[in-house]
Amino acid sequence: MTIKRLILSLLTLVVVALVGSSLITSLGQPQITNRLELYQTNLVLLATETSPQTETTETTASADPMDTARSQLQQAVLGDNPLKMALENYQSVRDDAQETLTNFEIRMAESNSAQFSTLVQQQEALLWQLDLRIGLLQAVQGNIDTAQSTWDALLNQLERRTAGRAIAETTTVLQNLWNDPPTVSDNAEATEATVRENLEGWFQSEALTQLYTVAENSTALTALQTQRMAIARSTLFKLAVVGILPTIAAIAGIGLVIFLLVQRFTQGKEALLAVGGQAWETPWEAEIIWQVLIVGFFLIGQVVLPLLLSFLPISLADSTSRVRAFYTLGYYVTMATAGLFILFLSVSSYRPLPKDWFRFQLSGRGLLWGVGGYLAALPLMLGVSIVNQQIWQGQGGSNPLLQIVLEENDPVALGIFLFTAAVAAPVFEELLFRGFLLPSLTRYVPVWGAIVLSGLVFAIAHLSLSEVIPLALLGSVLGIVYVRSRNLLAPMLLHSLWNSITMIGLFILGSGN
């Protein structure tokens, strides 16, 4: 064995240990799926202010066409009983959170790990927030006794818990507001401040409405109702964007997938999905593939850069959102630059490269493959995500950037995160995984095998167990698009569309919370 191979072997052991550790750690991390469901539920609640009311036949007949259209949109988006649906969603998420907490407590007892102790505390805080809001949903629907019982149980849990003091104060405020008769403390301004500080969106508006009603503050109540109506109209549009438009795209994608499958069976090797016999002429051996992946991607991204950045005098936990956004972009651009430099050095001795290597052309065919690939991937990813959720039951981790974006309100920071996800990531990852890895693998395995293997490595590189299956599928779709188009523009566009539309959806969902 040469010195180079020995060094690569040792580095591989280090990388495998680190990647394996990250994947195992992600097993104890919650997914973002439940949080996304709650954010969408919160948007639905904000839009209920304009939910259609029962009207007489005469009123309906004389209604303005715009009002009729809006009512139909509300019915389609909000359903018949949005408050009941919201309560069911919150209780479902609470059940999952309670099960997760139980699992964390068991693992903490078995391992005595500080990591699980932190996870237990985070999960407890989530349950407190859920119970506070579940009680409010129950109270608004007229189930006052049930709401008071929910809040009583929450206060019993928070007794002598310093970390939950703010939740306890807010719970007490809500109990007083929905007492029979309702009461407000002598300092109404302090009560309002507590509500505004610890509740958001619809929950804050409902608590303030009850507060102003009990305090007989008609001026504040009228202003709040006007504000809620305006927010409800804009929220209805947001819900249409995050709900109806993806549904239309998914239906189009289903039709496209059916067409492609039928064509594959009827036209055989002439079909658009036929990928056999299209291998690249690969001049380098497996050692170059090994070197680029281990040194150019995993070692730099997982070892070298984190070590170097640890010496920077920056505490991300205490930094502003813009600093975190620039840090994320800088980290990714640095990793991409270093990785592509290693790739260039590794293949430079084989130049000029054979035909179709790293081919990028601005062409209509490339655009069609990119957009068509996105539409086809959408229903496939939705179906796999449903199965994947059943497998992992809310665990297995998620990309941390998703949670950051979901909770971000600074438009500059959001723009930087969007650029990172929609431009920097697709360019680098498609150059590496589709431009280099997939064609290189065709020297050793059939093209379909190279598509699957490169997709699997692409999925593992994201370091979240729960994302391996859906990302492997997405990576395979990206591979098929590249193999058939022979143009890196196509998978880059597909990748960019997927990331940017996901990010925009998160921006919209987060705006209502």
Side-chain angles (χ1 to χ4, degrees), residues 184-316:
V184 180
S185 67
D186 295 335
N187 192 342
E189 292 182 359
T191 300
E192 180 177 348
T194 298
V195 169
R196 290 188 180 277
E197 184 176 351
N198 299 303
L199 292 172
E200 310 86 24
W202 178 88
F203 296 94
Q204 181 187 103
S205 296
E206 283 295 336
L208 289 177
T209 297
Q210 182 73 358
L211 170 63
Y212 297 150
T213 301
V214 173
E216 299 181 349
N217 188 343
S218 58
T219 302
L221 181 60
T222 301
L224 177 62
Q225 290 173 338
T226 302
Q227 181 187 39
R228 293 185 69 176
M229 288 290 291
I231 292 174
R233 293 191 183 96
S234 64
T235 302
L236 190 64
F237 173 76
K238 294 176 182 179
L239 282 168
V241 171
V242 300
I244 295 177
L245 294 183
T247 300
I248 295 173
I251 292 172
I254 292 172
L256 179 58
V257 170
I258 293 173
F259 166 76
L260 291 172
L261 291 175
V262 171
Q263 190 199 44
R264 180 70 180 90
F265 284 108
T266 58
Q267 298 188 18
K269 294 181 179 180
E270 302 300 320
L272 292 173
L273 285 182
V275 296
Q278 301 179 40
W280 276 256
E281 181 185 345
T282 305
W284 46 78
E285 296 183 350
E287 186 174 307
I288 295 297
I289 307 174
W290 184 17
Q291 175 178 296
V292 171
L293 283 181
I294 295 300
V295 179
F297 183 77
F298 287 105
L299 186 68
I300 289 176
Q302 302 301 317
V303 180
V304 177
L305 270 181
L307 181 62
L308 292 177
L309 292 175
S310 67
F311 293 104
L312 293 178
I314 298 177
S315 173
L316 290 181

Side-chain angles (χ1 to χ4, degrees), residues 37-38 40-46 48 78 81-93 130 133-134 137-138 141 202-203:
E37 292 175 359
L38 287 187
Q40 185 157 358
T41 297
N42 291 345
L43 280 182
V44 169
L45 289 172
L46 282 175
T48 56
L78 303 182
N81 194 335
L83 290 180
K84 180 181 178 182
M85 178 274 297
L87 179 57
E88 291 173 351
N89 287 349
Y90 263 85
Q91 288 176 328
S92 176
V93 172
L130 292 172
R133 286 156 177 77
I134 286 172
L137 280 165
Q138 292 166 338
Q141 294 181 70
W202 178 88
F203 296 94

